Amino acid sequence: MRTHLYCLLPAASRDALPEATSGIDGAPVRSLVFGEIVAWVSDVVDRSSTPISSVRAHDAVIAAALSTGSTPLPARFGQRFPDDEACRSALGKRYPALATAVDAIQGFVEMTLLLTLAAPREEDLQPLPPAGAELGTGRRYLEMLRAREDTARKFSENLDHLSDGLVAAVRGFIRQSSVQDGVKRPFRTISHLIEREDVAAYTEAARAAQMPAECRMLVIGPRAPYTFTTSADLVHELRQVDRHE
Amino acid sequence: MTIPRDDELETEQLILGDLLNHVLDKGVVISGTVTISVADIDLLLVDLRLLLTSVETSMRRGVADTLERLAAAPDDRA
């Protein structure tokens, strides 16, 4: 058995862990108090590879932590310790920075805007046959592929313009921002750190933004600030935020 | 049996890909050692960046941690 780490919370929420919370493989989640922070952990059995259900379970525990009212500092998946003491020891080595980061993210959540190409409608992919010509099956297929590629290229070319419009719609709520483009396909992930109380207004504003028919937009969240805990500048930047503006 | 529409399938795939990108590649690292070997994932669902970033990040963190350890305990260099 090893100790799997899910997230860190402020010590004030040490009693917030619901009794029935279960994590990977249904193991009960427990809290380890270390100074001013609480770690949510559970026992796990080492396996040669991890099923996707474990990844989902990790995220579900962090979502449960977020629903307590505090904002958890999510741990990257895959951090396992020989036992609870080893976990405490690792926390101890980075304690001041972790405690400050846990404190700094309170009141904030992450929202994600996912922009991609909408699934093409068949009628949009039908090529116009040349005048007086019948298209064979092979030619029709190639023309359809070309039409699809044209749409994808147009979308990629317009991605900056599209995301600018979208971000403008929610600009008033953004405290930090991170953009990641896809490699395999036209795709953009825009993550925003916003105040928890702004979630409904942010979602409404994003959904109201005008998007062209070839664009598909998903609003995902609220969730723990995964993206913004990766940044080394997190603590410094959040310290500059006046939450009472 | 209900057959999901293409739109619904694509939405599920997008959400799963986004989940994996967040859980496997983001979040605070405490131990410096992150072991990921996820089975049952259709890699077509996951953006390639996930794999690239994971490898790059692991290497970067591995190097950074090694340097950190060496700086903290010079006697270990032998």
Side-chain angles (χ1 to χ4, degrees), chain A residues 5 49-50 52 59 74-79 81 94 110 180-184 187 216 220 223 226-227 229-230, chain B residues 7 10-11 14 18-19 22-23 25 27-31 34-35 37-39 41 43 46-47 49 57 61:
Chain A
L5 176 66
S49 69
T50 307
I52 186 109
D59 186 57
R76 185 174 305 198
F77 184 89
Q79 294 177 81
F81 303 87
R94 300 189 178 180
E110 177 174 335
Q180 188 174 28
D181 281 337
V183 175
K184 277 202 303 187
F187 191 89
R216 177 164 217 199
I220 302 174
R223 63 178 157 204
Y226 280 97
T227 301
T229 53
T230 309
Chain B
D7 276 3
E10 195 184 73
T11 300
L14 288 170
D18 182 64
L19 171 75
H22 274 78
V23 176
D25 196 41
V28 71
V29 176
I30 291 159
S31 70
V34 179
T35 307
S37 172
V38 182
I41 295 178
L43 291 179
V46 186
D47 192 274
R49 184 179 294 277
T57 307
R61 286 186 192 284

Side-chain angles (χ1 to χ4, degrees), chain A residues 54-136:
Chain A
S54 297
V55 179
R56 290 188 190 277
H58 180 90
D59 186 57
V61 169
I62 293 169
L66 187 66
S67 68
T68 64
S70 295
T71 299
L73 188 66
R76 185 174 305 198
F77 184 89
Q79 294 177 81
R80 292 173 178 184
F81 303 87
D83 53 31
D84 288 1
E85 279 317 302
C87 181
R88 282 179 203 275
S89 169
L91 291 174
K93 284 178 187 161
R94 300 189 178 180
Y95 177 73
L98 291 172
T100 310
V102 167
D103 181 56
I105 59 169
Q106 295 312 303
F108 294 96
V109 292
E110 177 174 335
M111 297 296 289
T112 300
L113 303 174
L114 215 149
L115 271 177
T116 188
L117 198 58
R121 295 177 305 175
E122 283 305 309
E123 59 264 35
D124 292 338
L125 297 174
Q126 295 303 316
L128 291 174
E134 281 295 322
L135 289 181

Side-chain angles (χ1 to χ4, degrees), chain B residues 9-63:
Chain B
L9 272 178
E10 195 184 73
T11 300
E12 283 174 21
Q13 290 176 356
L14 288 170
I15 291 172
L16 175 59
D18 182 64
L19 171 75
L20 294 171
N21 272 310
H22 274 78
V23 176
L24 301 184
D25 196 41
K26 294 170 181 171
V28 71
V29 176
I30 291 159
S31 70
T33 305
V34 179
T35 307
I36 301 169
S37 172
V38 182
D40 307 332
I41 295 178
D42 181 350
L43 291 179
L44 291 174
L45 304 185
V46 186
D47 192 274
L48 186 59
R49 184 179 294 277
L50 166 69
L51 300 175
L52 294 175
T53 310
S54 296
V55 173
E56 285 171 2
T57 307
S58 302
M59 290 179 67
R60 198 166 57 241
R61 286 186 192 284
V63 170

Side-chain angles (χ1 to χ4, degrees), chain A residues 111 113 170 173-174 192 194 198-206 219:
Chain A
M111 297 296 289
L113 303 174
V170 296
F173 306 110
I174 303 169
H192 289 143
I194 68 167
D198 289 336
V199 168
Y202 174 97
T203 306
E204 191 180 341
V219 184

